[in-house]
Amino acid sequence: MRLFKEKLAWAAPIAVILIIALFSVNLFAQGNPQVKNLPVALIVNDEGQHVETVLDAVEQMSKGGDGAEPVIAFTNEKEENIESLFADKKYYAALVIPEGYSDTLQNALTNNQSAKLKIYINQGFNMTGANFAKAALIGFVSGMNDQYSAIFLAQLSTEKIDATQASILINPVVAEEKIYNPITASTANGSAPTLLAVPAWVGALIGGFIVFLATSGIFKKELLTRKQTLGLIGGQVLFGIIIALFSGFTVATLAQIAGINMPSYFLVAFFVSFAAFCFYLLVSAITAWIGKPAITLFMVVMLLGMGVLMTPQEMLPSFFVNFIRPWVPIRFASEGLREIFYFGSGFYTGASFNTILGIGIAGLVIFLLSIFKPVKVKKQQN
């Protein structure tokens, strides 16, 4: 058959393999995530024998098991700093040994009162990471409780036990939870920031590509001077503002219709518009230099990025953490929206805002420099 002799036909199965492999890369990120070294603060507000027992257990937990890295990485902190540390997203949770813990546990059977270990959860940081940290700390407190329950039962093995004492014997150590930066209701279980950030990137990608095709048609029709090219770039930037505003307000409107609990409709709309415009400048800059292959490049970036957007970096393979996560622009829009949704931020969201702004400025500079790109002049036939 003639078709089997065509080289382009044989390229089809190879292209299919490459595309499927690209789409499947995220399986390595999310297929079997291994939680390791989740940062957790350790706050010690007491001292005594029973506090030392807790600290020994913390040290043992920090060693991991069977040569594997530990699930939790503890760092000593002071309680007065925990709110700012949580706001800076330094920790997913905190284990607190409160003042009076040792005395309460020492006299638990006499006073009929359980000792409390406090667990603070930084839910807004990342719900998945916070839940893993919470589960690990509850398991830790449960282990301490079982240890002391066995000790107390051995001490009272020959004595009569009333109902109140029985309750303390079963639960001499209990966990008390407190949630910081809570995930609000109707925000897709903490996924709303990412779900709203992705359209900003897609809108910038599609809008930038369509405007690029339109300007390419102008360049094909006539040879422009640098001044005329600069004017054309100015027009593209204005179109970018229009596209970005349409993107931001469309996303916010659809989110409102879908019942997403946004802190402010206009704040979310303008932040998404800001991110979309900066992404648009980046897309326009790269397409101005390398043309249509840039779209493939940005699609690859988006596909690779989807696997890291909602997953804590402590659950990602090192390859994704070191070589993919830092280069995904959508992540910064997602982090900025997370600040707005769960940390009470305004339009300026700190580091994420600065990074998005830096992307936009760099994109604009590269875009403007494209006026110096060499132009291929077609030779006219006589």
Side-chain angles (χ1 to χ4, degrees), residues 35-73:
V35 186
K36 53 186 182 298
N37 294 318
L38 285 172
V40 170
L42 175 63
I43 300 171
V44 182
N45 293 332
D46 197 23
E47 56 185 18
Q49 177 185 353
H50 299 301
V51 173
E52 291 301 320
T53 302
V54 176
L55 295 179
D56 288 342
V58 165
E59 184 179 356
Q60 188 64 33
M61 187 179 186
S62 300
K63 293 179 181 178
D66 299 326
E69 295 185 72
V71 173
I72 299 294

Side-chain angles (χ1 to χ4, degrees), residues 224-235:
L224 302 182
T225 65
R226 283 179 179 172
K227 185 177 181 180
Q228 290 173 322
T229 302
L230 188 60
L232 192 60
I233 289 175

Side-chain angles (χ1 to χ4, degrees), residues 69-263:
E69 295 185 72
V71 173
I72 299 294
F74 288 99
T75 303
N76 288 299
E77 297 289 355
K78 295 182 179 180
E79 187 158 12
E80 57 264 28
N81 299 330
I82 198 63
E83 285 193 29
S84 61
L85 290 168
F86 277 176
D88 292 337
K89 296 188 277 296
K90 299 293 185 182
Y91 300 104
Y92 290 101
L95 175 66
V96 183
I97 305 175
E99 186 177 358
Y101 168 82
S102 191
D103 287 342
T104 302
L105 189 56
Q106 183 67 35
N107 301 302
L109 295 176
T110 304
N111 298 331
N112 292 325
Q113 182 180 356
S114 299
K116 295 179 180 178
L117 287 173
K118 296 182 179 180
I119 298 174
Y120 296 161
I121 309 298
N122 189 13
Q123 200 174 61
F125 183 1
N126 181 286
M127 195 165 186
T128 303
N131 284 342
F132 268 100
K134 174 184 173 180
L137 292 179
I138 288 177
F140 174 85
V141 175
S142 178
M144 297 298 302
N145 178 70
D146 292 344
Q147 178 181 337
Y148 278 100
S149 179
I151 293 172
F152 289 166
L153 283 170
Q155 290 175 353
L156 300 178
S157 59
T158 59
E159 299 181 20
K160 291 184 178 180
I161 302 171
D162 58 33
T164 306
Q165 283 183 318
S167 175
I168 302 300
L169 283 172
I170 296 172
N171 294 304
V173 181
V174 295
E176 183 180 273
E177 297 178 29
K178 183 177 180 180
I179 295 176
Y180 287 78
N181 308 309
I183 299 293
T184 52
S186 301
T187 56
N189 292 323
S191 301
T194 301
L195 296 177
L196 299 185
V198 171
W201 175 259
V202 175
L205 188 62
I206 295 174
F209 185 53
I210 292 174
V211 174
F212 165 74
L213 292 177
T215 54
S216 296
I218 296 174
F219 280 116
K220 289 178 181 178
K221 292 177 183 177
E222 56 184 303
L223 183 62
L224 302 182
T225 65
R226 283 179 179 172
K227 185 177 181 180
Q228 290 173 322
T229 302
L230 188 60
L232 192 60
I233 289 175
Q236 288 179 264
V237 172
L238 289 176
F239 257 107
I241 295 173
I242 296 170
I243 291 168
L245 288 172
F246 269 98
S247 297
F249 280 87
T250 301
V251 167
T253 300
L254 291 175
Q256 193 172 56
I257 294 171
I260 296 296
N261 182 16
M262 295 181 289

